[in-house]
Amino acid sequence: MPKESSVIVPYAAYLRVYEPLAAFPEPERTHWAAYARRPELPTYQDELRRSLADLVPTPPVGVPVHESGDAFVTEVDGVLCVCPWRTRLRGWLALAELDGDELPRSVLDAALPEVVRLQAAQDHERWLERNPDARPWIRTAVWQVPINWFVLISDAEREYGKGTAEVAPVLRYRTPMVQARRRVARSLRTLKDAMDEGPLIDGLLDVGRWLEEFHPRSLVELDYGGLVHVLPAGALESDHSAKDVAEGIEALRIGDGAAAGEAYARLVERWRSVRDRRSAN
């Protein structure tokens, strides 16, 4: 594998599902089994750099021509679990969301001309006719971690590595799929009892439907990814956003609106600097 650039891409966080190898049909299962034995595997930063490099040519490549054969791999109780990148599929899905984003049309057209976006949309439609049940194993968020992601995990599952001069810090959570689904169901009951509707409920419904697409013995991972490079000094180590979300939902369950408001205020304050960084970029 060619050596990747060392440039850090700082703004993306990830929600990933690792499925056990047995969940994949052949010949994909054999491919991933051999892939996992490679001495070196690419990182999320490598995938981001490759995607950004596609935007350099004229015209830019909005979506890769071929699907990625890479994945993230891990072991859960001795069982190999795989999270395919599916970069091409995720590129199509991201492009489909761009028109409703905050990005000004002039900036969007400069980065990805309309003709490139239209061609990508047509390619996606043709591909979907052959692959109607396709879904990504990875969700990406930029300059934030969506609140509904924190519902899936517990503060007790928090894994933090401070990092060194050579190794970047790490902040992630990993939980069994059954736990993630259970937390979604419980939180939805609480939120629906406390409010009629809202973006948190909509987001949880969406992520809950997505989780149902995977093997019940999968692993769910929330990874701060490149956001570890933009959080202020000391803020990463003290970040317990999952705890704040859990405490806020529990406060709603028992009818303590003041405590729920305090938990939400902590979240807003913690992520203010990241949102400011997003606006500056």
Side-chain angles (χ1 to χ4, degrees), residues 188-202 252:
L188 277 172
R189 285 196 296 270
T190 297
L191 291 169
K192 288 180 177 179
D193 287 342
M195 59 188 77
D196 293 331
E197 58 184 4
L200 182 53
I201 291 178
D202 293 341
L252 287 176

Side-chain angles (χ1 to χ4, degrees), residues 45-138:
Q45 285 283 323
D46 295 329
E47 185 196 24
L48 265 177
R49 294 179 193 119
R50 295 175 194 176
S51 298
L52 292 176
D54 284 342
L55 299 179
V56 175
T58 303
V61 180
V63 175
V65 177
H66 303 289
E67 187 55 273
S68 171
D70 286 304
F72 300 109
V73 298
T74 191
E75 281 196 10
V76 180
D77 298 328
V79 176
L80 179 66
C81 293
V82 181
C83 176
W85 284 8
R86 291 296 192 271
T87 307
R88 192 179 193 216
L89 172 58
R90 287 161 53 216
W92 278 325
L93 296 175
L95 279 179
E97 296 175 357
L98 277 180
D99 284 340
D101 201 46
E102 301 173 3
L103 204 62
R105 180 53 62 94
S106 58
V107 175
L108 178 58
D109 288 342
L112 279 174
E114 185 176 17
V115 64
V116 173
R117 302 198 305 275
L118 288 174
Q119 182 61 58
Q122 292 169 4
D123 292 343
H124 187 204
E125 288 178 6
R126 287 193 293 268
W127 185 86
L128 277 179
E129 291 176 359
R130 303 188 302 273
N131 304 274
D133 299 323
R135 77 284 195 260
W137 279 256
I138 304 172

